[in-house]
Amino acid sequence: MKRSSMISLAVLASAAALVLAGCSNGGGGSNSGKTTAKSTTACVMLPDAASSPRWENMDRPDLKKALEAAGFKANIQNAQGDTSKYATLAAQQMSEGCGVMLLVDYNGAAVSVAAKAKAQGIPVIAYDRPIAGADYYVSFDNTKVGALQGQCLVDALKAENKNPATATVVYMGGDPTDGNAKMFHDGAVSVMSAAGIKPAKEPPGVWDGAKSATNFEQALTALGGKVDAVWVANDTNAAGVISVLDKNHLTVPVTGQDASTAGLQNILLGKQTCTVWKHVPDEAKAASDLAIQLLQGKKPVAPQKLADGTPFFTVTPVLVKAADVQKVIDAGDATASDICTGAVAAACTKFGVH
């Protein structure tokens, strides 16, 4: 009887050990306890709410809707322009479980996050901005964004019967810590330099309207108040540049990007020549489609690669001038009620914006 009991206890112990071993092996290493959460959650880190209104107004709801419609969870956080907060929030996401991470970089904060995620076996999608070490990159064709801006500026100078090669042009780029900023710059320069344009002044790049205003004002002063055109990387920076031009009673070709409400208003008022429209739902769809495939255990094949070999899923940008504003509204990326206020109302009537 005693021997039989000992044998029974041994059998029970062995069975328990097998169950525990099965649980351990099923999770894949130290993250075994998070298998379920990591298989169903897409973790998204947004950079801020100041550089562009798109992050909270467009990307967040579009990504959330697509991921949840596919049956997955979306854990979306915003670093609010704080690199320390970026790292803290991302670490918290990983502790709660992520099956994939979509990271919009902010001043390089995403690089260490991506490394930690990959060490835990979490695939990383660099969203909108490139990140060293990411598994995939989803963004608009950023070199083309710059090329569209550059061509817009060249065409505007020629329309004013000004020789691009002798024109006084100021370059106002984006923050160099943002990998996209270089692509915008290089794309624009490839077109402008081909037309003979050389920068008369090129202040340090930033993603900040107020700082852009200060930097441009200093450049304009150094040029004796003379400028023929300004290449500007986005609408927020363009607004800062335009505030200085207004103060000096100047109207010259100015480029932009994002098709923001303020940017579209400045275009209708004739203060900004063009913007590059990046229909955010297209980018969000490309990113969410990729995330969903990864959550499903698939291995998507990208149509392009970055110079460092990172698989690149591209989305096509569109140039917008005053006659094209209604297209942005029709697509749902802006509303006439927001745009056609005050002094802009008459311009909306002129260009058929409703």
Side-chain angles (χ1 to χ4, degrees):
M1 184 72 177
K2 186 174 181 181
R3 175 177 169 77
S4 175
S5 297
M6 290 178 66
I7 292 173
S8 297
L9 287 172
V11 169
L12 288 171
S14 297
L18 286 171
V19 170
L20 288 173
C23 289
S24 176
N25 291 337
S30 62
N31 301 303
S32 59
K34 304 186 183 89
T35 301
T36 301
K38 291 181 72 173
S39 67
T40 61
T41 303
C43 298
V44 182
M45 279 301 306
L46 301 177
D48 59 10
S51 65
S52 174
R54 61 167 286 188
W55 305 119
E56 288 297 328
N57 297 342
M58 300 179 188
D59 296 88
R60 179 189 285 273
D62 286 352
L63 289 168
K64 185 175 187 293
K65 181 179 179 181
L67 290 163
E68 291 182 349
F72 297 101
K73 298 176 183 178
N75 182 345
I76 305 176
Q77 303 295 330
N78 193 314
Q80 299 298 343
D82 186 326
T83 55
S84 295
K85 188 174 182 179
Y86 194 111
T88 300
L89 289 172
Q92 183 177 343
Q93 287 179 321
M94 284 186 271
S95 70
E96 294 172 355
C98 303
V100 63
M101 294 196 85
L102 286 82
L103 306 176
V104 184
D105 188 30
Y106 181 78
N107 287 352
V111 176
S112 60
V113 171
K116 291 175 182 176
K118 292 181 70 175
Q120 294 185 30
I122 305 170
V124 175
I125 300 171
Y127 182 50
D128 194 72
R129 299 170 180 173
I131 300 168
D135 296 295
Y136 301 92
Y137 177 43
V138 177
S139 184
F140 286 90
D141 186 334
N142 298 309
T143 302
K144 184 173 179 60
V145 169
L148 289 170
Q149 293 172 334
Q151 191 61 56
C152 170
L153 188 142
V154 169
D155 291 345
L157 285 170
K158 290 180 178 179
E160 295 181 352
N161 295 316
K162 292 182 179 178
N163 182 354
T166 58
T168 301
V169 180
V170 176
Y171 292 9
M172 302 293 295
D175 191 327
T177 62
D178 172 3
N180 283 349
K182 184 178 188 305
M183 297 185 199
F184 302 146
H185 180 275
D186 291 352
V189 169
S190 68
V191 175
M192 294 190 294
S193 62
I197 295 175
K198 294 180 180 179
K201 289 290 179 181
E202 186 169 6
V206 295
W207 289 133
D208 186 302
K211 289 181 181 178
S212 286
T214 299
N215 291 345
F216 177 67
E217 187 160 34
Q218 292 173 348
L220 186 62
T221 299
L223 291 170
K226 175 177 172 52
V227 64
D228 292 312
V230 190
W231 169 70
V232 191
N234 77 351
D235 293 346
T236 300
N237 285 3
V241 168
I242 290 167
S243 69
V244 176
L245 290 171
D246 283 348
K247 187 167 66 173
N248 288 274
H249 308 291
L250 295 171
T251 300
V252 301
V254 174
T255 65
Q257 176 185 183
D258 292 331
S260 66
T261 294
L264 295 174
Q265 288 178 322
N266 280 328
I267 287 173
L268 290 169
L269 291 172
K271 297 181 178 184
Q272 184 173 324
T273 311
C274 60
T275 186
V276 176
W277 175 30
K278 300 188 299 185
H279 187 45
V280 173
D282 290 344
E283 186 179 27
K285 184 179 187 306
S288 56
D289 283 351
L290 175 57
I292 289 166
Q293 291 182 67
L294 292 170
L295 287 167
Q296 292 172 336
K298 299 176 182 178
K299 295 184 177 180
V301 177
Q304 295 185 36
K305 288 186 178 182
L306 294 179
D308 65 1
T310 304
F312 183 16
F313 290 83
T314 60
V315 186
T316 304
V318 178
L319 187 73
V320 170
K321 296 184 179 181
D324 307 307
V325 171
Q326 187 60 43
K327 295 178 184 177
V328 181
I329 293 173
D330 291 342
D333 283 3
T335 65
S337 59
D338 287 339
I339 296 171
C340 303
T341 60
V344 189
C348 283
T349 300
K350 176 182 176 181
F351 290 101
V353 176
H354 56 277

